[in-house]
Amino acid sequence: MTPTPAPTLTWAELRDLKCAELEGAADGWGRSSNRADAARDRIEQQLLTGLRDTQEGEAAQAAVARLRQLGRNFQYVYTECGLLRTTLNSLAHEMRTQQRALKEALDDAAALKLTVGADGSVTYPAAGEALVDGAPLRGGTATSNGLPGLVPPSGLVAPNPNAAKARDIADRVAGAVRAAAEIDWRYAGILRRLKAEEGLKVPDATWRDAAGDAAAVRDAAGAYLKDAIPHDASPAERRDWWAGLTQEQREEYLAVYPDQIGNLDGIPALIRDAANRDNLRLLIGELEGRDDERSATRLAGLREIDRQLGAETAPGMPPMLLLGVSDEGNGRAIVSYGNPDTARNVAAYVPGLNTSLDEDFATNDLKRARDTAIATREIDPSSATIAWLGYDAPQFLDGTDSFAVMGNEQAEAGGKSFGRFVGGIAATNVHEDPHMTAIGHSYGSRTVGAATQQDGGISGVDDIVLVGSPGVGVDRAEDLGVGKDHVFAGAAENDLVTKVPSQLQGKMAAMTGPVGYVVGGLVDRDSDDLWFGKDPASEAFGARRFRTDDGPPVVTGGFAAHSQYFDRGGVDPASADSIAMIAAGKADRVKVEEPR
């Protein structure tokens, strides 16, 4: 660690420092950041859209690529200028704190008629009485020894009562100057690194530097910004906190803490999207500098999400919003098709087994949410569907977590996070009583079930859809808290996950996977107990079962039947259409079939 240099700042220089000039400079960088953001927005919302709508061919494609690069460059300018603004504001904030400490010490010195010298020493007058002759004790000069509160012993001589007061003031003056010098040294290092590379392109290596810049500014600006973020508040309180900020404060939070704001339930969806798009670029920059398999897998997923965010939106397609993204655990990504703050109908889809932030999630799971959104909007245009990967789903046969799918821990943790998320959506939605649907697939249904068992239930959710479910942790539909007539289940005949009974878990531990049940002839097909309670498609559970295609047999199709429920244009349109009708608030149109 590089030691902090000895302070060269004097108390007079600290006293006379004009923090308003630092804030003025910060405002200038803020204006530059805002102009870059406006330019990026114009490129993405106007120029690219106009070019795509009016031009075709190789020349048009090349122009689109150049405009995208220009938009990325402006995004980088926006980020770096925003970091400069916050650095200068944070510097002013910390320096003002030391100025106040210095002023209080100087005011106390003046009140006591003590004189503070240019070097920080404090001169005090004669006072008190000597022990022998009663004469006034001589005055003197006190200097700070760097250990406030310690005064040398006086032996048999009674101390001048002004000596301790002078020493205290000297210590306070020195402490303020020493702290200000450390602040100045620390921020000088940050400002030196906030500089752009030469050239007109902003490659991934530059985004890696930007990620490091953001981390440095975040560390420095903790007291200035981060400590005020209401992490422990309710979604409604967070919504109100954001609404109460000034525009400048919002801009600073978005520039310095896009990861915090973008993943904070209760912040409006469009704000989260803007923050997460910037955070996405920073995450890509961080992962680009690593060469391990985990980072490569994560990077592929983030790049695919980034590609889709930048792709042309076809007429009639819902807008794509990034409501969450992080490198935590197996990766986090929350994507909405349609604005959940303005939609009357909001559905949140929770994926399950083997889902992580990778290219498969970014391709297949997002397609399920997008297809559901399209189908739902055909019924009611005021609809949005969200793919929610806000937890660590079990990773089956990954060498370390093979049998976590049979446990409750990840579902319980995920259920708490999912409950907070939908509570945030309910808090920011503009409608007084939006219709909300929770869709759980595979182990994701167990996660939805866990969310319903939290204190107060699952906030704002009206209907629950369970597909390919291994059980939800309760034995009756009414235990989910929305009324059994509002719980729907889809279970394909050849979906093995919906049939493996819980009492065979011990035997499974010795097998190579669920297929071992079939190979070993261990499936009890008469049982309505699954891994996590009653089969949601069973009569004993009491949900409304909707029709699904049987799917291919396990012998020939493996687990294909487990993944077909959202395939509207493929093998199971009945299931996909039923999910869309429920999500659109038209559950009365769903055709139900006999339970198992």
Side-chain angles (χ1 to χ4, degrees), residues 489-502:
E493 179 62 26
N494 292 319
D495 182 357
L496 187 63
V497 172
T498 70
K499 290 192 171 186
V500 178
S502 61

Side-chain angles (χ1 to χ4, degrees), residues 283-294:
L283 284 173
I284 289 175
E286 287 180 3
L287 293 173
E288 270 287 336
R290 306 173 188 171
D291 57 4
D292 59 286
E293 183 178 354
R294 174 186 176 277

Side-chain angles (χ1 to χ4, degrees), residues 69 72-74 76-77 199-207 210 281:
Q69 179 62 57
R72 291 283 171 78
N73 291 358
F74 277 122
Y76 175 74
V77 172
L200 297 177
K201 291 187 177 181
V202 182
D204 288 328
T206 303
W207 278 109
R281 290 303 314 166

Side-chain angles (χ1 to χ4, degrees), residues 4-30:
T4 305
T8 58
L9 190 70
T10 67
W11 66 262
E13 290 171 331
L14 174 59
R15 178 197 60 190
D16 298 336
L17 177 67
K18 293 180 173 59
C19 291
E21 293 183 356
L22 293 173
E23 292 169 332
D27 290 342
W29 286 109

Side-chain angles (χ1 to χ4, degrees), residues 105-191:
L106 295 177
D107 288 346
D108 288 348
L112 294 168
K113 295 182 171 50
L114 307 180
T115 303
V116 180
D119 61 353
S121 62
V122 179
T123 302
Y124 55 92
E129 297 178 351
L131 293 176
V132 177
D133 57 9
L137 294 171
R138 290 183 300 173
T141 299
T143 58
S144 174
N145 61 7
L147 298 172
L150 293 182
V151 178
S154 59
L156 296 177
V157 179
N160 183 325
N162 286 326
K165 297 174 183 177
R167 171 63 61 82
D168 174 66
I169 289 172
D171 285 339
R172 289 159 61 190
V173 169
V177 171
R178 189 181 304 109
E182 188 278 330
I183 292 167
D184 180 62
W185 173 78
R186 177 159 44 90
Y187 278 91
I190 294 171
L191 289 168

Side-chain angles (χ1 to χ4, degrees), residues 347-351 372 418 435-442 444-449 452 458 461-469 472 480 482-483 485-491 536 541 543-546 548 565-566 575-585 587 590:
Y349 150 65
V350 183
T372 300
F418 184 62
H435 172 255
M436 298 181 65
T437 304
I439 305 170
H441 174 236
S442 185
S445 67
R446 174 67 186 94
T447 303
V448 170
T452 68
I458 184 166
V461 169
D462 302 284
D463 292 303
I464 293 176
V465 177
L466 311 167
V467 289
S469 175
V472 296
L480 295 177
V482 297
D485 290 339
H486 292 273
V487 180
F488 299 84
F541 189 80
R544 298 171 66 184
R545 184 185 182 190
F546 55 85
T548 64
Y565 298 101
F566 302 88
S575 173
D577 288 342
S578 293
I579 293 172
M581 282 188 282
I582 298 165
V590 174

